[in-house]
């Protein structure tokens, strides 16, 4: 709350209360945050197109920086938005996670519902061969109520 120390007729040190709240700094900060979130939100999604099968399991909590591997119907493999091969998955993932432990890193696999099982298993084997043992499969949320 602000105080007015000069003026008025109540003596030399009369204090008058000012009950107005200045919301301009608050509005400025909210507008800046809104712009930051509008710019950052599209960057947090993966743009590789795959048609996911529906999932009936309860959604799990995501880690702070998830690593997505996408497998397209033609067998194309992507880490995030970057194309890779099955043989390069281990090196590319180690470069991506830097100092974090591969055995504790959860890798999210997104595969098109028409992906061949052999292509999927090649990716799984490459992950295990390179020390990535925690794997989560991503499916489309089931929109029908239980």
């Amino acid at each position: 709350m602000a105080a007015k120390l000069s003026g008025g007729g109540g003596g030399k040190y009369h204090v008058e209360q000012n009950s107005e709240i200045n919301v301009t700094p608050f509005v400025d900060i909210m507008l800046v945050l809104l712009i930051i979130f509008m710019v950052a939100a599209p960057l947090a999604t993966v743009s590789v197109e795959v048609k996911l099968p529906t999932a009936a399991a309860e959604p799990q909590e995501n880690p702070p920086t998830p690593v997505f591997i996408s497998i397209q119907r033609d067998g194309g493999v992507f880490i995030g938005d970057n194309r890779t091969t099955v043989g390069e998955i281990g090196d590319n993932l180690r470069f991506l996670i830097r100092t974090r432990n591969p055995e504790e890193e959860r890798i999210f696999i997104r595969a098109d519902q028409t992906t061949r099982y052999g292509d999927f298993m090649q990716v799984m084997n490459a992950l295990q061969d390179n020390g990535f043992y925690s794997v989560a499969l991503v499916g489309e949320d089931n929109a029908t109520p239980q």
Side-chain angles (χ1 to χ4, degrees):
M1 191 173 342
K4 186 175 182 184
L5 296 176
S6 64
K12 186 174 181 182
Y13 297 107
H14 176 71
V15 176
E16 184 179 315
Q17 291 186 354
N18 180 5
S19 62
E20 296 178 15
I21 298 174
N22 187 1
V23 295
T24 304
F26 177 72
V27 172
D28 289 344
I29 291 172
M30 289 299 116
L31 287 174
V32 169
L33 288 175
L34 177 66
I35 291 170
I36 289 171
F37 288 130
M38 287 173 57
V39 170
L43 300 176
T45 60
V46 179
S47 62
V48 177
E49 184 178 337
V50 291
K51 185 172 165 82
L52 296 172
T54 58
E58 291 293 321
Q60 298 293 317
E61 183 177 321
N62 288 340
T65 55
V67 177
F68 287 96
I69 293 180
S70 301
I71 307 171
Q72 292 181 322
R73 73 174 71 183
D74 63 356
V77 179
F78 292 80
I79 297 177
D81 291 334
N82 303 317
R83 183 178 277 278
T84 187
T85 63
V86 174
E88 297 173 340
I89 284 179
D91 294 334
N92 292 340
L93 284 174
R94 279 197 186 81
F95 177 76
L96 187 64
I97 67 168
R98 307 233 193 268
T99 59
R100 298 185 304 231
N101 184 0
E103 293 182 8
E104 296 175 3
E105 189 70 28
R106 177 170 286 175
I107 307 297
F108 292 86
I109 297 181
R110 304 170 62 242
D112 193 273
Q113 64 184 359
T114 58
T115 300
R116 292 182 333 132
Y117 183 70
D119 294 337
F120 175 77
M121 286 308 298
Q122 284 180 345
V123 170
M124 290 291 292
N125 289 336
L127 289 173
Q128 288 183 349
D129 291 345
N130 287 285
F132 294 93
Y133 301 115
S134 181
V135 176
L137 304 179
V138 179
E140 193 72 38
D141 288 337
N142 192 356
T144 57
Q146 299 293 338

